[in-house]
Amino acid sequence: MNGIATTERKKRSRKAAFYATEKPVISSNNEVVFNCQAVLPPCSITYLLDTNGSVEIGSSGRGDNFDGIQDIELIKHEYQPSKRYEIGISQTIGKNDRMQDTANVLGELFPNIDIIGIFDGHNGEEAARYCLISMKNEFNCLNPKDCEHQLPQIFESIHNNISSQTISGTTASICIIRSDDVVLAHVGDSPIYFYENGHLTRMTQNHSATFEKERIIASGGKVINIKGVDRVNGQINLSRSLGDKLLQPPLTYKPDISIHSLSMKYIVIVTDGVTDSLSFNRDSEMEIILSQPLSPDQIAATIRNNAFINGSVDNISVIVIQII
C-alpha cells in the first residue's frame, strides 16, 4: 500500500501568482493547430494520450514565484495510455490556492480493459493523491468479467486505506471500458457524460445532502442548511465520498454502478470546477464544444478554459475519451 505524504504548505495568494498563456499546439509544419486562448495559472497542463503513447501537448509550467511543487506533482503524471482510444486530459489549479484534483488512466490494465478516473479532493489533497498513486494496486485484483460486483469492495478498500492515513476525502468517478460496454462507478459530484448523436447526457447523479437527505437522517446524521446550501452535519454538501472518516457515517463510500453499451462518440468526466461555472442544457457550452472537429485533448482544454473564463473558482479537471 502506498503511503500518503502530508506536507506543510506555505499559504499563497492567487492574486500574486504568476499567470502565463498556455502554449498553442504546433503541427510539424509549424502551423498553429489549436490555441487555447486562455491565460492560466502555472499549475495547468493538457495531455493527449494516443494509442501509441502519452504526449504532453501544453503546459503553463511553474513561475519563479510559484511555490506549488506539490500541486505540480498531482498533475505531472505518467499515464498508461489505452491501445484502443485516444484520451485528452486537461487540468488547472484555477483560482484556488491549492490543487486537490487528480486524474488517472490505466490503459490495458487487463487485455482490452481500460480504467479511467477523476478524483476531486477536499479538506486536503491526500485522499485524491492516494487514488492517483494507488489506483493500479487497488484495481489489480479486479475480475473484468464481473467487475460490477467487485467494485463495492474495491471502493471500500480505497476508503479504508485513505481513512487510515488522513481525514481528507475525495469524490471518485471511474469508467471501466471493456470490449463491448463500459461500467461506471462513482461517489460524489464529479459527473460522467456521454456525447452521442449530437446530444450530451449526464449519466451520473450528484450525491448531495439534498438528494440523499432521508438516507443521511436514517444513518444518524443531520442535514443543516447554511446560506442556502444543505450540508451533512452542517459541514459538507456531499453525501458520498472516499475518506472523510470523521463523517462516515452518515456519509457513505458505496458507489452507484451502471453498465452501458459503447455506442457513444465521447465519454467525458469532469470535476465540479466545470459544472459550477457552465450550464448543461441542450444548448450548453460543453455540448457545443463537443460538436466541433477537435481532438480529445483540444476538447478537454476548451472545456477547461471555458470553465475558467466563465468564473470557476475551483480546481478544474476534464477527461475526454473518444470511443467512435
Side-chain angles (χ1 to χ4, degrees), residues 257-273:
I257 299 170
S258 58
I259 305 174
H260 310 269
S261 62
L262 288 174
S263 59
M264 70 294 293
K265 183 176 182 180
Y266 297 112
I267 299 173
V268 182
I269 318 173
V270 302
T271 57
D272 65 352

Side-chain angles (χ1 to χ4, degrees), residues 34-53:
F34 174 70
N35 197 336
C36 69
Q37 297 294 319
V39 179
L40 299 166
C43 186
S44 304
I45 201 164
T46 300
Y47 285 95
L48 172 64
L49 279 60
D50 63 24
T51 54
N52 296 316

Side-chain angles (χ1 to χ4, degrees), residues 3 18 21 47 49 66 102 116 130 170 178 218 222 225 273 276 298 301:
F18 172 79
T21 302
Y47 285 95
L49 279 60
F66 183 70
T102 61
I116 301 155
Y130 178 86
T170 184
R178 301 188 289 196
K222 297 179 180 179
N225 189 282
D276 285 353
Q298 294 169 355

Side-chain angles (χ1 to χ4, degrees), residues 24-42:
V25 180
I26 306 296
S27 72
S28 58
N29 296 324
N30 290 323
E31 297 175 341
V32 175
V33 177
F34 174 70
N35 197 336
C36 69
Q37 297 294 319
V39 179
L40 299 166

Side-chain angles (χ1 to χ4, degrees), residues 142-152 178 183 257 259:
L142 185 72
N143 177 357
K145 295 181 179 179
D146 191 40
C147 63
E148 56 268 33
H149 296 108
Q150 291 183 297
L151 281 167
R178 301 188 289 196
V183 181
I257 299 170
I259 305 174

Side-chain angles (χ1 to χ4, degrees), residues 34 45-51 55 57 79-82 84-91 102-105 114-118 173 175 177 182 191-196 200 264-271 274 278 280 285-306 316-324:
F34 174 70
I45 201 164
T46 300
Y47 285 95
L48 172 64
L49 279 60
D50 63 24
T51 54
V55 180
I57 60 96
Y79 298 103
Q80 187 173 315
S82 168
R84 299 179 295 163
Y85 307 114
E86 285 196 342
I87 301 170
I89 302 173
S90 195
Q91 296 179 274
T102 61
N104 207 347
V105 175
D114 301 316
I115 303 178
I116 301 155
I118 265 183
S173 295
C175 299
I177 307 177
V182 56
I192 302 173
Y193 296 87
F194 291 170
Y195 180 77
E196 184 175 4
L200 185 70
M264 70 294 293
K265 183 176 182 180
Y266 297 112
I267 299 173
V268 182
I269 318 173
V270 302
T271 57
V274 172
L278 300 178
F280 285 91
E285 291 91 338
M286 196 159 82
E287 190 170 88
I288 294 170
I289 293 166
L290 286 159
S291 71
Q292 303 304 307
L294 301 172
S295 60
D297 55 288
Q298 294 169 355
I299 293 171
T302 305
I303 292 171
R304 177 199 63 186
N305 297 341
N306 273 271
I316 303 168
S317 295
V318 182
I319 298 178
V320 176
I321 309 155
Q322 184 167 355
I323 302 298
I324 298 175

